[in-house]
Amino acid sequence: MSNCLLYRLALVLAALAEIAAAVWIFRRKAENTPQTDRIPRAKIPGIVLGFLALLWCVPHARPIVFDWMLPMLYPMVIGLTILSWFFLDYLFSRALGGLMILCAYYFVHGAWEFHTPGTAGLSILYWLLGIAGIAFSGKPCWMRDFLRSCCRSPKIRTAAGISLAVLSAVTLLAAVLTAGGVQ
């Protein structure tokens, strides 16, 4: 599988996840607040996403770690995943934020590498997603507050849902229009 095909497949999967998140946000109501409040602290989905995010970080860490640390990277992923279960609160919020940051980097880099039409617009949208990921990782209670706001305020819910739907549409369009390095 070529890198371009992998990039386009990742764009399609991201678009599906974004539209699913948009639909989920649109369906939030005030009576959903108690169930929604538990999501940022969810341990099992958080540990799965956190493990995937840490695995994704290994290739990025290879060029910058000392040679003696290279064989320890994958065991460190397992160890850090186990430690995060015991010592981190708001695990889902932190893991989702980390994946948002990694996706933002991957899609912006891929858009420039594979000459995706509309790269500037796609980059700006994913930079905004990456900024949200930084906020959710660094201050995980902000995800809880954001979800509460979506439950309580129709204006915030509509703005968040439309933003995710636009991001999904632009991402899907980028997947279709990416030619694979041909200028």
Side-chain angles (χ1 to χ4, degrees):
M1 179 179 291
S2 72
N3 286 339
C4 181
L5 185 59
L6 185 63
Y7 171 71
R8 292 175 74 191
L9 179 64
L11 283 170
V12 170
L13 292 175
L16 292 174
E18 291 154 2
I19 199 65
V23 168
W24 185 82
I25 292 260
F26 277 128
R27 297 183 66 201
R28 297 295 94 198
K29 303 286 184 237
E31 58 269 10
N32 299 124
T33 303
Q35 297 93 352
T36 306
D37 277 352
R38 291 192 290 265
I39 292 171
R41 288 184 155 185
K43 285 253 188 196
I44 293 174
I47 207 76
V48 170
L49 289 181
F51 178 73
L52 295 174
L54 287 171
L55 275 179
W56 194 352
C57 287
V58 169
H60 297 288
R62 285 187 177 281
I64 60 173
V65 299
F66 297 111
D67 289 339
W68 60 269
M69 290 178 72
L70 288 175
M72 296 170 33
L73 288 177
Y74 287 108
M76 286 173 61
V77 166
I78 294 167
L80 290 173
T81 301
I82 293 168
L83 287 173
S84 68
W85 177 270
F86 293 108
F87 293 108
L88 285 181
D89 197 13
Y90 288 96
L91 195 53
F92 182 76
S93 180
R94 293 175 193 274
L96 182 64
L99 279 179
M100 289 164 64
I101 295 165
L102 288 166
C103 284
Y105 167 77
Y106 178 71
F107 291 135
V108 170
H109 177 78
W112 291 100
E113 182 179 353
F114 300 114
H115 307 288
T116 301
T119 295
L122 184 73
S123 296
I124 290 169
L125 290 174
Y126 272 102
W127 285 335
L128 293 173
L129 183 78
I131 290 168
I134 291 169
F136 289 165
S137 293
K139 196 86 162 149
C141 60
W142 284 2
M143 181 181 182
R144 180 202 61 210
D145 296 340
F146 170 71
L147 293 175
R148 280 182 184 169
S149 298
C150 287
C151 287
R152 292 185 183 137
S153 170
K155 289 181 182 178
I156 294 175
R157 179 175 46 248
T158 303
I162 289 174
S163 298
L164 282 167
V166 166
L167 180 62
S168 176
V170 169
T171 302
L172 194 57
L173 187 64
V176 171
L177 295 178
T178 298
V182 179
Q183 290 181 317

